[in-house]
Amino acid sequence: MKVLVAVKRVVDYNVKVRAKGDGSDVDLNNVKMAINPFCEIAVEEAVRLKEAGVATEVIAVSVGEKPCQEQIRTALALGADRGIHVEAEGRIEPLVIAKLLKGVVEKEQPQLVILGKQSIDGDNNQTGQMLGALTNMPQGTFASEIKVEGEKLNVVREVDGGLQTISLSLPAIVTTDLRLNEPRYASLPNIMKAKKKQLDVYSPADLGVEVTSHITLVRVEPPAERQAGIKVEDVAQLVDKLKNEAKVIS
Amino acid sequence: MDFTFSEDQLLFQDSVRDFLVNEITPERLRAGWETDTGRDPALWQQFAELGLTGITVPEEHGGLGMDAVDFVLLAQECGYVALAEPLVNHALVAVPLLQDIGGELAARWLPLAATGEARIIAAVEQNLMVEDAHVADLLLLEREGQWFALEQGQFSCERSESIDPARRLYSVTVQAGTAPIVEGARANALRAACLNRGALGCAAQALGLAQRMIDLSVQYTAERKQFGKAIGSFQAVKHHMANVAVRLEYAKAPVHRAAYAVAEDASGAALAVAQAKLMACEAANLAAKNSIQVHGAMGYTWEVDLHIFMKKAWALANTWGDAGWHKQQVAAVIFADGAALGAGATFQ
């Protein structure tokens, strides 16, 4: 079974992001970039499927500018077999990424596509679902457990207030939630091996997709600063404030 | 010649930094102080899985066959998290020493070092106390110009306290009747090479420690407010840390140059290492001093993490040759008859 995994280049989750002075975007100057954590979980799951003898090949794909190849190399170091970079400039919205991934799916014909449920930069949570719609493949989103059984894929989904188990016909799409697995660290020997693995580069035109934009980023603002706390005189004052100011008790 | 680090070396550094920063938290370090051995076998196993225990082991023995230049950036990262495990000694000092000793001993232990099944520790008499003797599967010990290869049971050790609660120092007594494995001129040459590697490891860790203290201080001074402003915005505070940053930047090149000299077994390695250790430890010492200043009274407290890094920096400054000893090494070269002085000779 061939597994395709999408990886996105985002600001490292440890970095405290800042808006540019003019509010036009997030400031990415000298900021450490990394694989989106949910995509890292997707890579880990695909590699585990391969180690379990379920998957035969794991392909990591990323869409974006040339530096995305760093994240593909990281996925290769984590255990993916080969990489595909769809080179596209500028801000690319989820629908376009989904269309480009559909082009890759048509070329590679994977039985399973695993994506992160969302990226920590855009927080859109759209690409996996859009890819499902475009390819007409069944989708199991917010997966916390997956199991391949013959031609079926059982997915345990994290839904509001509990878990839901669904069974999908393969080929299928899965988007990963936080608890699906705990990704490994790339070992030094695997980092060295990753350099020798195949990495193909496509343009959107190669996949028959025109990169268009329907969304304009208007403004980026940091969250409001938290106000300093106060010291209350007694319990009665605390209860009064919780009731009348914070309105958290009645 | 291009002396910049290769893409692979920088990738290794990134990868190891991610691992160490996520796994070796100050909370985990503090928990380690309370355990019997102060060391964590599970963590050592993770090092092995990442290839770190075998990084300097030759490929024919199952390692990656890398050298001091490849490891120096990783040693910096070990310093950044104040790693208590003896990885730097194992990979940078003991494994190359074992290779130099060679023979059946190396053939037996190098594969075990690569897989992480054996922790190899090297110690010279100059250090007085042996760090991590209690967890050494093989202790390569130099005493009075003789080298001993000791497994647990072939030596006894008595613990001594250290300023750094993470360090486990032991006074080691070799079992009577144990025969040395190397003596004479060769033993002295091995000791000199060992001292160079040990001091290089300290220097590289000192760079990481200095950087960590800067980062902690920058974070603290950006959050701590006085007169309605973050204290980091005041020049008097800023300059303290800027001075450390400058000292640290100037110390990096000598350390990297020393790593190259050690890897190449260059004739000037001892001088390069002495200069590197002096500069890196001075940077770390200044980082400790100024970080305490900008932290104010909080800097002295147990609950603030600063002391973890500060104490390690102080301890490293006095191991594998203290400042006085390394200054003597530099002086010996400068004052030698017919010494070539100046750029490219004394100051490299």
Side-chain angles (χ1 to χ4, degrees):
Chain A
M1 184 172 83
K2 196 189 271 190
V3 181
L4 185 72
V5 189
V7 293
K8 187 176 180 187
R9 177 182 170 85
V10 298
V11 174
D12 187 274
Y13 73 94
N14 288 308
V15 173
K16 196 172 175 183
V17 292
R18 280 187 289 209
K20 283 182 178 173
D22 61 2
S24 60
D25 206 341
V26 170
D27 190 353
L28 296 181
N29 274 331
N30 297 318
V31 166
K32 188 186 174 201
M33 306 297 282
I35 291 189
N36 175 44
F38 292 109
C39 300
E40 208 171 0
I41 292 170
V43 174
E44 175 66 29
E45 196 62 22
V47 172
R48 287 186 188 190
L49 286 172
K50 190 174 173 211
E51 287 170 345
V54 176
T56 51
E57 187 181 27
V58 176
I59 307 161
V61 57
S62 189
V63 177
E65 294 174 3
K66 194 161 183 192
C68 283
Q69 290 186 8
E70 287 171 24
Q71 279 59 51
I72 298 174
R73 289 284 174 210
T74 305
L76 296 175
L78 290 169
D81 297 294
R82 63 188 168 93
I84 294 174
H85 175 211
V86 182
E87 196 163 3
E89 301 289 319
R91 179 180 290 276
I92 309 155
E93 61 193 50
L95 180 58
V96 176
I97 294 175
K99 286 178 179 173
L100 291 166
L101 290 177
K102 177 182 175 244
V104 176
V105 167
E106 284 168 354
K107 264 187 191 291
E108 295 290 342
Q109 297 292 317
Q111 285 292 95
L112 179 61
V113 184
I114 313 181
L115 308 91
K117 70 170 181 178
Q118 66 193 75
S119 59
I120 60 169
D121 53 358
D123 270 346
N124 290 307
N125 180 18
Q126 294 172 350
T127 307
Q129 292 88 329
M130 286 174 169
L131 181 62
L134 291 170
T135 56
N136 207 24
M137 283 157 73
Q139 54 181 288
T141 51
F142 312 110
S144 63
E145 190 183 333
I146 65 171
K147 197 169 183 185
V148 177
E149 287 184 353
E151 290 302 302
K152 295 282 182 190
L153 176 74
N154 292 332
V155 180
V156 178
R157 305 180 60 230
E158 296 204 349
V159 294
D160 283 349
L163 300 172
Q164 178 192 55
T165 303
I166 57 171
S167 180
L168 311 175
S169 312
L170 292 170
I173 289 169
V174 166
T175 71
T176 62
D177 216 320
L178 197 62
R179 279 159 287 273
L180 181 59
N181 60 52
E182 196 174 322
R184 70 194 69 191
Y185 295 97
S187 72
L188 303 189
N190 284 343
I191 291 172
M192 289 164 79
K193 283 181 202 156
K195 285 192 78 178
K196 293 177 186 149
K197 290 183 180 175
Q198 183 184 340
L199 200 167
D200 298 315
V201 181
Y202 297 134
S203 68
D206 294 336
L207 302 170
V209 177
E210 193 184 340
V211 177
T212 52
S213 180
H214 307 91
I215 301 169
T216 306
L217 179 64
V218 179
R219 187 163 175 76
V220 172
E221 291 172 32
E225 271 197 40
R226 197 174 158 188
Q227 298 296 311
I230 58 161
K231 197 170 179 181
V232 292
E233 294 295 324
D234 50 30
V235 173
Q237 194 185 0
L238 174 65
V239 171
D240 177 64
K241 287 195 177 291
L242 290 173
K243 197 183 280 186
N244 299 317
E245 285 184 25
K247 296 188 177 15
V248 291
I249 56 173
S250 52
Chain B
M1 281 180 83
D2 181 3
F3 285 111
T4 51
F5 287 101
S6 70
E7 196 183 323
D8 272 352
Q9 287 161 341
L10 296 172
L11 261 175
F12 287 173
Q13 184 188 20
D14 265 357
S15 180
V16 169
R17 180 192 299 139
D18 283 349
F19 168 75
L20 291 175
V21 168
N22 285 327
E23 298 292 330
I24 318 293
T25 57
E27 294 73 31
R28 190 167 180 173
L29 289 170
R30 286 171 188 268
W33 302 343
E34 309 303 327
T35 64
D36 283 345
T37 65
R39 302 295 175 257
D40 184 348
L43 188 56
W44 194 260
Q45 186 53 38
Q46 281 182 291
F47 290 154
E49 284 162 12
L50 292 178
L52 285 168
T53 53
I55 189 166
T56 51
V57 174
E59 287 178 71
E60 63 266 29
H61 291 295
L64 297 177
M66 295 183 175
D67 61 25
V69 177
D70 298 303
F71 193 74
V72 70
L73 293 177
L74 310 189
Q76 282 177 221
E77 299 307 326
C78 293
Y80 189 79
V81 297
L83 181 67
E85 306 294 323
L87 182 65
V88 175
N89 187 314
H90 170 94
L92 187 62
V93 190
V95 164
L97 171 64
L98 192 52
Q99 271 176 263
D100 289 346
I101 292 170
E104 278 180 25
L105 187 76
R108 180 185 163 205
W109 286 96
L110 285 174
L112 299 174
T115 56
E117 289 166 83
R119 269 179 283 211
I120 323 265
I121 302 291
V124 293
E125 189 158 31
Q126 184 160 352
N127 279 345
L128 299 178
M129 297 292 166
V130 179
E131 191 173 355
D132 290 308
H134 66 312
V135 291
D137 297 292
L138 177 67
L139 174 62
L140 299 171
L141 182 73
E142 183 267 330
R143 287 287 180 269
E144 296 175 0
Q146 296 180 317
W147 280 96
F148 298 88
L150 308 168
E151 295 178 42
Q152 290 291 339
Q154 292 182 298
F155 62 93
S156 58
C157 48
E158 191 180 333
R159 191 172 165 196
S160 292
E161 290 303 318
S162 166
I163 186 172
D164 173 6
R167 292 185 95 207
R168 296 296 166 109
L169 295 177
Y170 295 89
S171 127
V172 169
T173 308
V174 181
Q175 210 173 58
T178 307
I181 52 165
V182 185
E183 295 177 278
R186 187 161 170 248
N188 293 337
L190 290 176
R191 182 183 56 216
C194 204
L195 268 163
N196 283 346
R197 291 180 173 279
L200 172 65
C202 289
Q205 289 180 86
L207 294 182
L209 287 161
Q211 186 61 58
R212 184 61 172 269
M213 287 185 269
I214 292 175
D215 291 350
L216 286 173
S217 300
V218 168
Q219 189 185 351
Y220 179 78
T221 55
E223 285 168 7
R224 173 88 170 92
K225 290 187 176 168
Q226 272 293 358
F227 312 112
K229 283 182 175 179
I231 61 169
S233 64
F234 300 127
Q235 272 198 345
V237 174
K238 251 189 239 181
H239 285 184
H240 271 310
M241 297 326 294
N243 288 341
V244 179
V246 170
R247 189 75 67 94
L248 174 60
E249 280 310 306
Y250 275 108
K252 283 179 184 171
V255 175
H256 298 161
R257 196 258 179 251
Y260 177 76
V262 166
E264 296 293 309
D265 201 13
S267 57
L271 174 63
V273 167
Q275 289 172 331
K277 185 158 191 278
L278 284 167
M279 292 188 72
C281 289
E282 277 176 14
N285 198 33
L286 185 69
K289 187 176 158 205
N290 289 6
S291 295
I292 287 183
Q293 289 296 318
V294 303
H295 273 76
M298 286 303 288
Y300 284 97
T301 60
W302 188 259
E303 68 256 40
V304 170
D305 292 332
L306 180 65
H307 74 102
I308 297 174
F309 306 96
M310 201 164 66
K311 288 172 182 168
K312 179 140 186 131
W314 290 338
L316 288 182
N318 291 303
T319 186
W320 296 102
D322 62 10
W325 190 83
H326 284 290
K327 281 177 184 168
Q328 279 176 7
Q329 304 308 300
V330 177
V333 174
I334 293 172
F335 295 119
D337 287 340
L341 299 180
T346 329
F347 308 106
Q348 298 172 26

